[in-house]
Amino acid sequence: MVPQTLVALVLAGRAFLPGGGEPSPAVPSGGAALPPITARYEAGPREVTNWRFEAVDDLQPKSLVVLAALFRAERPVVSRCVKLNNYWCIKSARWNGELATDSEGHVGFASADHGADAAANLLRRYYLNFGRKSALDIVRRWAPAECNIATSLGGAAMLAVKGIGGTLRARYLASRRKGGSVRYTAKAGPSGKPGRVSMVLPIRTPQYRVPDIAAGMGEKKKAVQPAAPLVREARPAPRPAPRPAAQPTATASVAPKPMPKPETSTACAPDEQRLRNYAGRMVETLGIGPTDDLKLFEANGTPLPNLAAVMLAMSSFELGVLRATPDLIEGAIQRMKERAASERAALQGGGGAPSSQ
């Protein structure tokens, strides 16, 4: 009874969706030309006009998708990538079916099939062309860390701050002032140009004696003592400098102090944890670690079985509550297999180099 109710809910939702009568542009296999694209990107709401229609077909859980599309739900149920038919939040690279990009470079695809094809092709590019075999290597490029310090400064700003604060002179000056501390600021320049790192050191100025011309305003003038006559004394012969005492050898009771471990930058600690969580989600159903080979493709570009599981996990991590359907992913993998076969046949027949997309 539950499957029939779910089907009825999906069909009813499709009928009431805005633009539900518009056909979704199909992605043909092989190198055939695409039909005219009916979907369009609207810059105001930052969405593709057919995203509800595509979401009902290609996202799950179905009941939540239909309700979210009908009642125009926003975050956290419907993320911006859902409205772009881009269930892997891919950036622009002249993908097939790319309509436009939002203010942050995320692609608005004409259909969810185009978005799935782009995700599969991008993973193949990372795996084969860039040599990123593990989940952690892929996500470091797929979703790079965004530190709190301006990205134009990168690690140089953090190294500069730590270098200034770690000097012996800075620590000494900071310790000489009661209740004071050394403050640092990092500011990026205009148009993403490298900025500068500033340091504020609270320093106490020395107290000088009041000069004679201002006597009565501060200290009292002291009586001047007559200078004693200079008597030249015989200079004693120099003595040899004493040798330093031998250092005691390390014993069980007197152990040498451990050397401090090299300090690592913690400016991107939250993003680093996010990347590790992302990589862990990608491999949790494969029985491997985040730094192990994912085994996504053969050397000739043929997809392997792990690709479907990785794409499903990545879609779930990117979208949060929703995720791509297995049918959408399997369709993209099948089209990739057909293209790989046609490219191999073209190479064997002298047809030229295969395309990257």
Side-chain angles (χ1 to χ4, degrees):
M1 184 64 183
V2 175
Q4 288 82 357
T5 304
L6 185 58
V7 170
L9 181 62
V10 171
L11 293 177
R14 288 168 58 98
F16 287 101
L17 287 178
E22 295 183 2
S24 176
V27 179
S29 60
L34 285 171
I37 297 176
T38 58
R40 65 184 183 279
Y41 174 77
E42 294 184 349
R46 295 194 302 177
E47 65 183 30
V48 180
T49 54
N50 66 341
W51 75 265
R52 295 179 180 84
F53 191 83
E54 294 292 317
V56 169
D57 283 342
D58 298 314
L59 286 179
Q60 57 183 10
K62 291 296 183 183
S63 57
L64 183 59
V65 173
V66 171
L67 292 176
L70 284 176
F71 295 101
R72 300 177 179 272
E74 298 293 333
R75 290 177 179 269
V77 179
V78 177
S79 65
R80 62 180 174 182
C81 292
V82 171
K83 296 182 178 181
L84 297 174
N85 297 331
N86 185 355
Y87 304 154
W88 288 267
C89 294
I90 299 172
K91 297 293 185 72
S92 176
R94 297 182 180 179
W95 299 109
N96 189 20
E98 180 175 329
L99 296 179
T101 59
D102 65 5
S103 59
E104 297 183 9
H106 294 98
V107 179
F109 287 103
S111 71
D113 286 330
H114 287 100
D117 282 352
N121 282 310
L122 188 56
L123 282 173
R124 183 175 66 173
R125 188 178 301 174
Y126 284 179
Y127 191 86
L128 297 179
N129 298 350
F130 299 155
R132 296 180 176 267
K133 307 292 186 180
S134 69
L136 197 55
D137 285 342
I138 288 177
V139 298
R140 288 191 189 283
R141 175 113 184 203
W142 192 284
E146 298 176 358
C147 303
N148 294 329
I149 296 180
T151 55
S152 60
L153 299 177
M158 180 51 59
L159 290 177
V161 171
K162 288 185 176 296
I164 293 173
T167 60
L168 180 62
R169 179 65 176 167
R171 291 197 301 267
Y172 169 78
L173 293 175
S175 64
R176 300 296 295 176
R177 183 176 187 271
K178 297 181 180 180
S181 59
V182 184
R183 299 193 304 274
Y184 310 97
T185 59
K187 183 179 181 181
S191 303
K193 294 181 180 179
R196 63 181 182 180
V197 179
S198 302
M199 177 181 66
V200 179
L201 294 175
I203 303 175
R204 295 185 61 184
T205 58
Q207 300 297 324
Y208 296 98
R209 306 180 70 86
V210 180
D212 293 347
I213 194 171
M217 297 174 57
E219 300 181 43
K220 293 183 179 181
K221 185 178 180 180
K222 292 187 176 182
V224 179
Q225 299 292 336
L230 297 176
V231 178
R232 188 177 299 274
E233 299 179 356
R235 183 176 299 176
R239 296 180 181 180
R243 294 183 180 181
Q247 298 294 332
T249 57
T251 61
S253 59
V254 182
K257 295 183 179 180
M259 295 297 292
K261 295 182 179 180
E263 187 175 7
T264 58
S265 174
T266 58
C268 298
D271 268 356
E272 177 65 21
Q273 187 59 46
R274 175 183 62 86
L275 295 180
R276 292 188 176 275
N277 293 341
Y278 199 155
R281 180 80 66 86
M282 291 170 63
V283 301
E284 64 181 356
T285 61
L286 301 179
I288 59 176
T291 58
D292 297 333
D293 191 339
L294 289 172
K295 301 187 184 304
L296 299 181
F297 298 93
E298 295 179 358
N300 59 6
T302 303
L304 294 174
N306 285 354
L307 178 60
V310 169
M311 289 185 64
L312 182 61
M314 294 179 71
S315 172
S316 175
F317 191 89
E318 292 285 355
L319 301 184
V321 180
L322 306 177
R323 61 188 181 276
T325 61
D327 291 341
L328 175 66
I329 296 173
E330 289 296 339
I333 293 176
Q334 183 60 35
R335 288 188 292 272
M336 175 176 281
K337 289 180 179 179
E338 294 174 359
R339 283 194 296 269
S342 63
E343 289 170 358
R344 288 195 299 270
L347 286 176
Q348 293 174 359
S355 61
S356 62
Q357 296 186 20

